[in-house]
PDB file of all heavy atoms in Angstrom:
ATOM      1  N   TYR A  60    -103.116 -28.406 -31.311  1.00 98.00           N
ATOM      2  CA  TYR A  60    -103.457 -27.826 -32.631  1.00 98.00           C
ATOM      3  C   TYR A  60    -104.874 -27.231 -32.653  1.00 98.00           C
ATOM      4  O   TYR A  60    -105.450 -27.104 -33.728  1.00 98.00           O
ATOM      5  CB  TYR A  60    -103.298 -28.889 -33.776  1.00 98.00           C
ATOM      6  CG  TYR A  60    -101.883 -29.088 -34.173  1.00 98.00           C
ATOM      7  CD1 TYR A  60    -101.300 -30.380 -34.120  1.00 98.00           C
ATOM      8  CD2 TYR A  60    -101.041 -28.063 -34.628  1.00 98.00           C
ATOM      9  CE1 TYR A  60     -99.974 -30.595 -34.530  1.00 98.00           C
ATOM     10  CE2 TYR A  60     -99.731 -28.290 -34.965  1.00 98.00           C
ATOM     11  CZ  TYR A  60     -99.189 -29.548 -34.942  1.00 98.00           C
ATOM     12  OH  TYR A  60     -97.909 -29.750 -35.313  1.00 98.00           O
ATOM     13  N   LYS A  61    -105.432 -26.818 -31.481  1.00 98.00           N
ATOM     14  CA  LYS A  61    -106.791 -26.397 -31.420  1.00 98.00           C
ATOM     15  C   LYS A  61    -107.158 -25.258 -32.337  1.00 98.00           C
ATOM     16  O   LYS A  61    -108.239 -25.135 -32.817  1.00 98.00           O
ATOM     17  CB  LYS A  61    -107.224 -26.077 -30.002  1.00 98.00           C
ATOM     18  CG  LYS A  61    -106.544 -24.937 -29.334  1.00 98.00           C
ATOM     19  CD  LYS A  61    -107.079 -24.690 -27.965  1.00 98.00           C
ATOM     20  CE  LYS A  61    -106.379 -23.467 -27.311  1.00 98.00           C
ATOM     21  NZ  LYS A  61    -106.559 -23.332 -25.954  1.00 98.00           N
ATOM     22  N   ASP A  62    -106.160 -24.323 -32.614  1.00 98.00           N
ATOM     23  CA  ASP A  62    -106.426 -23.195 -33.511  1.00 98.00           C
ATOM     24  C   ASP A  62    -106.723 -23.659 -34.944  1.00 98.00           C
ATOM     25  O   ASP A  62    -107.246 -22.887 -35.706  1.00 98.00           O
ATOM     26  CB  ASP A  62    -105.236 -22.310 -33.530  1.00 98.00           C
ATOM     27  CG  ASP A  62    -105.004 -21.542 -32.225  1.00 98.00           C
ATOM     28  OD1 ASP A  62    -105.896 -21.590 -31.355  1.00 98.00           O
ATOM     29  OD2 ASP A  62    -103.935 -20.914 -32.024  1.00 98.00           O
ATOM     30  N   LEU A  63    -106.376 -24.905 -35.266  1.00 98.00           N
ATOM     31  CA  LEU A  63    -106.566 -25.417 -36.616  1.00 98.00           C
ATOM     32  C   LEU A  63    -107.798 -26.337 -36.734  1.00 98.00           C
ATOM     33  O   LEU A  63    -107.958 -27.018 -37.758  1.00 98.00           O
ATOM     34  CB  LEU A  63    -105.291 -26.131 -37.085  1.00 98.00           C
ATOM     35  CG  LEU A  63    -104.010 -25.345 -37.093  1.00 98.00           C
ATOM     36  CD1 LEU A  63    -102.780 -26.224 -37.428  1.00 98.00           C
ATOM     37  CD2 LEU A  63    -104.072 -24.220 -38.122  1.00 98.00           C
ATOM     38  N   LYS A  64    -108.604 -26.392 -35.647  1.00 98.00           N
ATOM     39  CA  LYS A  64    -109.622 -27.438 -35.602  1.00 98.00           C
ATOM     40  C   LYS A  64    -110.664 -27.348 -36.721  1.00 98.00           C
ATOM     41  O   LYS A  64    -111.299 -28.308 -37.106  1.00 98.00           O
ATOM     42  CB  LYS A  64    -110.290 -27.522 -34.192  1.00 98.00           C
ATOM     43  CG  LYS A  64    -111.105 -26.315 -33.851  1.00 98.00           C
ATOM     44  CD  LYS A  64    -111.787 -26.643 -32.487  1.00 98.00           C
ATOM     45  CE  LYS A  64    -112.823 -25.615 -32.079  1.00 98.00           C
ATOM     46  NZ  LYS A  64    -112.478 -24.213 -32.245  1.00 98.00           N
ATOM     47  N   ASP A  65    -110.812 -26.173 -37.302  1.00 98.00           N
ATOM     48  CA  ASP A  65    -111.841 -26.021 -38.414  1.00 98.00           C
ATOM     49  C   ASP A  65    -111.166 -26.246 -39.795  1.00 98.00           C
ATOM     50  O   ASP A  65    -111.905 -26.157 -40.826  1.00 98.00           O
ATOM     51  CB  ASP A  65    -112.440 -24.637 -38.320  1.00 98.00           C
ATOM     52  CG  ASP A  65    -113.270 -24.459 -37.014  1.00 98.00           C
ATOM     53  OD1 ASP A  65    -113.799 -25.471 -36.533  1.00 98.00           O
ATOM     54  OD2 ASP A  65    -113.314 -23.302 -36.459  1.00 98.00           O
ATOM     55  N   LYS A  66    -109.907 -26.465 -39.862  1.00 98.00           N
ATOM     56  CA  LYS A  66    -109.323 -26.698 -41.162  1.00 98.00           C
ATOM     57  C   LYS A  66    -109.650 -28.112 -41.692  1.00 98.00           C
ATOM     58  O   LYS A  66    -109.787 -29.035 -40.915  1.00 98.00           O
ATOM     59  CB  LYS A  66    -107.748 -26.623 -41.045  1.00 98.00           C
ATOM     60  CG  LYS A  66    -107.256 -25.294 -40.504  1.00 98.00           C
ATOM     61  CD  LYS A  66    -107.218 -24.205 -41.553  1.00 98.00           C
ATOM     62  CE  LYS A  66    -106.572 -22.984 -41.030  1.00 98.00           C
ATOM     63  NZ  LYS A  66    -106.804 -21.846 -41.932  1.00 98.00           N
ATOM     64  N   PRO A  67    -109.764 -28.210 -43.006  1.00 98.00           N
ATOM     65  CA  PRO A  67    -110.141 -29.532 -43.613  1.00 98.00           C
ATOM     66  C   PRO A  67    -109.099 -30.588 -43.313  1.00 98.00           C
ATOM     67  O   PRO A  67    -109.435 -31.779 -43.217  1.00 98.00           O
ATOM     68  CB  PRO A  67    -110.197 -29.261 -45.132  1.00 98.00           C
ATOM     69  CG  PRO A  67    -109.502 -27.906 -45.319  1.00 98.00           C
ATOM     70  CD  PRO A  67    -109.663 -27.138 -44.064  1.00 98.00           C
ATOM     71  N   PHE A  68    -107.807 -30.204 -43.097  1.00 98.00           N
ATOM     72  CA  PHE A  68    -106.818 -31.216 -42.865  1.00 98.00           C
ATOM     73  C   PHE A  68    -106.676 -31.621 -41.377  1.00 98.00           C
ATOM     74  O   PHE A  68    -105.797 -32.356 -41.021  1.00 98.00           O
ATOM     75  CB  PHE A  68    -105.417 -30.721 -43.395  1.00 98.00           C
ATOM     76  CG  PHE A  68    -104.984 -29.365 -42.809  1.00 98.00           C
ATOM     77  CD1 PHE A  68    -104.343 -29.378 -41.568  1.00 98.00           C
ATOM     78  CD2 PHE A  68    -105.138 -28.203 -43.520  1.00 98.00           C
ATOM     79  CE1 PHE A  68    -103.898 -28.227 -41.041  1.00 98.00           C
ATOM     80  CE2 PHE A  68    -104.708 -27.026 -42.919  1.00 98.00           C
ATOM     81  CZ  PHE A  68    -104.076 -26.986 -41.683  1.00 98.00           C
ATOM     82  N   PHE A  69    -107.500 -30.960 -40.535  1.00 98.00           N
ATOM     83  CA  PHE A  69    -107.361 -31.251 -39.031  1.00 98.00           C
ATOM     84  C   PHE A  69    -107.391 -32.782 -38.683  1.00 98.00           C
ATOM     85  O   PHE A  69    -106.462 -33.220 -38.047  1.00 98.00           O
ATOM     86  CB  PHE A  69    -108.386 -30.487 -38.236  1.00 98.00           C
ATOM     87  CG  PHE A  69    -108.159 -30.532 -36.816  1.00 98.00           C
ATOM     88  CD1 PHE A  69    -107.090 -29.852 -36.144  1.00 98.00           C
ATOM     89  CD2 PHE A  69    -109.039 -31.282 -35.998  1.00 98.00           C
ATOM     90  CE1 PHE A  69    -106.934 -29.930 -34.754  1.00 98.00           C
ATOM     91  CE2 PHE A  69    -108.862 -31.355 -34.613  1.00 98.00           C
ATOM     92  CZ  PHE A  69    -107.801 -30.700 -33.996  1.00 98.00           C
ATOM     93  N   PRO A  70    -108.340 -33.533 -39.236  1.00 98.00           N
ATOM     94  CA  PRO A  70    -108.357 -34.936 -38.809  1.00 98.00           C
ATOM     95  C   PRO A  70    -107.071 -35.692 -39.237  1.00 98.00           C
ATOM     96  O   PRO A  70    -106.559 -36.515 -38.486  1.00 98.00           O
ATOM     97  CB  PRO A  70    -109.637 -35.532 -39.515  1.00 98.00           C
ATOM     98  CG  PRO A  70    -110.467 -34.308 -39.753  1.00 98.00           C
ATOM     99  CD  PRO A  70    -109.495 -33.168 -39.982  1.00 98.00           C
ATOM    100  N   THR A  71    -106.599 -35.463 -40.486  1.00 98.00           N
ATOM    101  CA  THR A  71    -105.400 -36.125 -40.909  1.00 98.00           C
ATOM    102  C   THR A  71    -104.155 -35.640 -40.169  1.00 98.00           C
ATOM    103  O   THR A  71    -103.263 -36.395 -39.926  1.00 98.00           O
ATOM    104  CB  THR A  71    -105.203 -35.981 -42.445  1.00 98.00           C
ATOM    105  OG1 THR A  71    -105.199 -34.595 -42.755  1.00 98.00           O
ATOM    106  CG2 THR A  71    -106.223 -36.721 -43.213  1.00 98.00           C
TER     107      THR A  71
END
Side-chain angles (χ1 to χ4, degrees):
Y60 282 124
K61 66 177 181 193
D62 291 350
L63 301 173
K64 69 177 189 311
D65 297 326
K66 301 281 184 189
F68 59 81
F69 187 71
T71 55

